[in-house]
Amino acid sequence: MSAEKLAELEHSYLMGTFKRLPITLASGHGAVAVDSEGREYLDLVGGLAVNVLGHAHPAVAQAVAEQAQRLIHASNLYYTEPQVQLAKRLVELAFPSRVFFCNSGAEANECAIKLARKWGSLNRGGAHEIIGAEGAFHGRTLATVTAGGTAKYKEPFAPLPEGFRHVPYGDLQALKRMTSQRTAAVLLEPILGESGVVVPPAGFLKQVREWCDEQNLLLILDEVQTGLGRTGTWFAHQHEGITPDVMTLAKGLGGGVPIGACLAAPRADVLEAGDHGSTFGGNPLACAAGLAVLKTIEEEGLVEQSLELGELLQSELAGLAGVSEVRGRGLMQAVVFTEPVARDLQLKSLKHGVIVNATDDHTLRLVPPLVITADQIEQAVGRLGAAQSEPSE
Ligand SMILES: Cc1ncc(COP(=O)(O)O)c(C=O)c1O
């Protein structure tokens, strides 16, 4: 089917919620994505930080194929082994906790929000408010979009659920001032993702942890984007030597197969039978994929590699023209340009065989597969440089 025909059909049959870039992806291998005409792209977006093992990794493909031949889905009425195994492995990698499985980042955060409200009613005299950050992104359900800090994502959907407060990201004093008898929890991304990879001031997360301990609040960390080796540790909070009470995961966990998870430490583990649920959550197919992802990240040393390659990516990006800042950790980086060229560059880069993501007019976000090689990073940034010197259409 021609690109024009496909775009026309998409417009007719799909809601207009996405502004798509003009390529049709058909396959891929590792950090290379291939379009419907066979053109190859170095993929620095990796399905929005999802394809941690790149495209078509044999370990995921095999795990999914084998599981699909045995049992794809069973519901949570019964025990299934992959679900229990995946929970066990996640807890071993993270912190003493128990897991609720769902299907997306938004759902993982919904679980955390419900859990915080129940915890507040049991432990803090009915406190139910959650303090989040301006610019934060936690998903698109009504509660998670309200918990997020971007007005345009929520305003059309008023009235919004009550009980969400926001302070500037990284501002400890503002967080302290916002805390009241009504506060049950603080919800933060360790690094803002959708807002262009914003790293908080050094020591901020640790200070928030101390504040939560002092005030008897839950600390919920949304590691949907930062988790699973992305920043050079299994989970970004491990850089800070702290442990959250609740952590949410999704994106990379299934290597592309939809799965989300909410981990609660014993202090926060208040959900009981009947409190929460999911038909698909933690089904054998998704959990088999998750197990393959964790095993492969470990076997291929991708967590350590993410840190090393992140430094390379950072220094390569700094060599591009007109750069005002490169920021991030591991393979979660953003390059900020002095001029508003990011969206144009995102488009021009496609012609040069590289996929990047503009988070605003000035900023490109790079969250490539963790399996990307040093060579591919150098090539990809070289192509970005070539795209920069091309005149705009
Ligand atoms: C930090 C963070 N939390 C939550 C989400 C929502 O995840 P999902 O789109 O899987 O619902 C995202 C998605 O970009 C995210 O980056």
Side-chain angles (χ1 to χ4, degrees), residues 48-50 103-109 136-141 144 189-194 222-226 248 250-251 259 332 365:
L48 284 171
V50 165
N103 313 289
S104 67
E107 280 183 57
N109 286 322
F137 187 81
H138 299 297
R140 299 292 201 144
T141 63
T144 57
E189 291 165 82
I191 295 175
L192 294 184
E194 290 290 308
D222 175 346
E223 294 241 23
V224 165
Q225 190 159 157
T226 53
T248 56
K251 288 201 184 279
I259 180 167
M332 180 172 182
R365 172 176 47 165

Side-chain angles (χ1 to χ4, degrees), residues 168-227:
Y169 187 64
D171 187 339
L172 183 71
Q173 295 315 318
L175 174 64
K176 288 185 173 180
R177 283 194 300 275
M178 188 61 86
T179 304
S180 75
Q181 288 301 321
R182 295 184 302 276
T183 313
V186 175
L187 166 61
L188 290 171
E189 291 165 82
I191 295 175
L192 294 184
E194 290 290 308
S195 283
V197 190
V198 179
V199 183
F204 172 67
L205 287 178
K206 200 156 193 225
Q207 289 160 338
V208 174
R209 174 71 275 180
E210 284 161 10
W211 179 246
C212 288
D213 289 341
E214 216 177 291
Q215 299 291 313
N216 188 29
L217 308 173
L218 290 185
L219 175 59
I220 305 169
L221 290 182
D222 175 346
E223 294 241 23
V224 165
Q225 190 159 157
T226 53

Side-chain angles (χ1 to χ4, degrees), residues 78 136 202 235 256 272 302 361 372:
Y78 319 101
F235 308 104
E272 295 168 308
L302 298 179
D361 293 342
I372 195 166

Side-chain angles (χ1 to χ4, degrees), residues 96-377:
S97 53
R98 292 198 299 175
V99 184
F100 177 84
F101 283 116
C102 48
N103 313 289
S104 67
E107 280 183 57
N109 286 322
E110 281 279 345
C111 176
I113 291 166
K114 287 177 71 176
L115 180 156
R117 287 190 171 195
K118 185 170 178 198
W119 182 86
S121 86
L122 293 174
N123 296 287
R124 264 181 69 83
H128 68 281
E129 282 185 5
I130 295 176
I131 304 177
E134 289 165 12
F137 187 81
H138 299 297
R140 299 292 201 144
T141 63
L142 208 49
T144 57
V145 89
T146 311
T150 303
K152 70 172 185 209
Y153 292 159
K154 45 185 151 179
E155 275 168 0
F157 309 107
L160 299 169
E162 196 269 330
F164 295 93
R165 301 281 173 268
H166 297 87
V167 294
Y169 187 64
D171 187 339
L172 183 71
Q173 295 315 318
L175 174 64
K176 288 185 173 180
R177 283 194 300 275
M178 188 61 86
T179 304
S180 75
Q181 288 301 321
R182 295 184 302 276
T183 313
V186 175
L187 166 61
L188 290 171
E189 291 165 82
I191 295 175
L192 294 184
E194 290 290 308
S195 283
V197 190
V198 179
V199 183
F204 172 67
L205 287 178
K206 200 156 193 225
Q207 289 160 338
V208 174
R209 174 71 275 180
E210 284 161 10
W211 179 246
C212 288
D213 289 341
E214 216 177 291
Q215 299 291 313
N216 188 29
L217 308 173
L218 290 185
L219 175 59
I220 305 169
L221 290 182
D222 175 346
E223 294 241 23
V224 165
Q225 190 159 157
T226 53
L228 286 319
R230 172 63 51 197
T231 70
T233 46
W234 273 101
F235 308 104
H237 67 261
Q238 292 168 337
H239 286 292
E240 317 294 331
I242 61 157
T243 306
D245 300 300
V246 179
M247 173 171 74
T248 56
L249 298 171
K251 288 201 184 279
L253 183 54
V257 178
I259 180 167
C262 177
L263 280 68
R267 168 173 187 247
D269 190 349
V270 293
L271 296 181
E272 295 168 308
D275 276 344
H276 198 45
S278 168
T279 297
F280 289 122
N283 87 8
L285 188 78
C287 290
L291 279 164
V293 167
L294 297 184
K295 188 160 175 271
T296 309
I297 290 179
E298 211 160 14
E299 282 172 1
E300 297 189 6
L302 298 179
V303 178
E304 301 75 23
Q305 189 169 299
S306 168
L307 203 59
E308 282 163 33
L309 291 182
E311 279 167 25
L312 174 69
L313 178 59
Q314 202 162 43
S315 70
E316 290 287 314
L317 290 168
L320 290 172
V323 170
S324 68
E325 189 187 2
V326 183
R327 61 189 182 215
R329 222 163 192 179
L331 286 174
M332 180 172 182
Q333 297 286 336
V335 52
V336 187
F337 297 97
T338 326
E339 299 296 321
V341 295
R343 294 191 199 281
D344 188 40
L345 189 53
Q346 171 180 248
L347 202 59
K348 286 196 295 192
S349 298
L350 294 176
K351 289 200 193 119
H352 288 262
V354 57
I355 299 179
V356 293
N357 170 241
T359 54
D360 60 45
D361 293 342
H362 289 265
T363 313
L364 290 182
R365 172 176 47 165
L366 302 315
V367 280
L370 305 185
V371 294
I372 195 166
T373 64
D375 226 36
Q376 286 174 320
I377 288 178

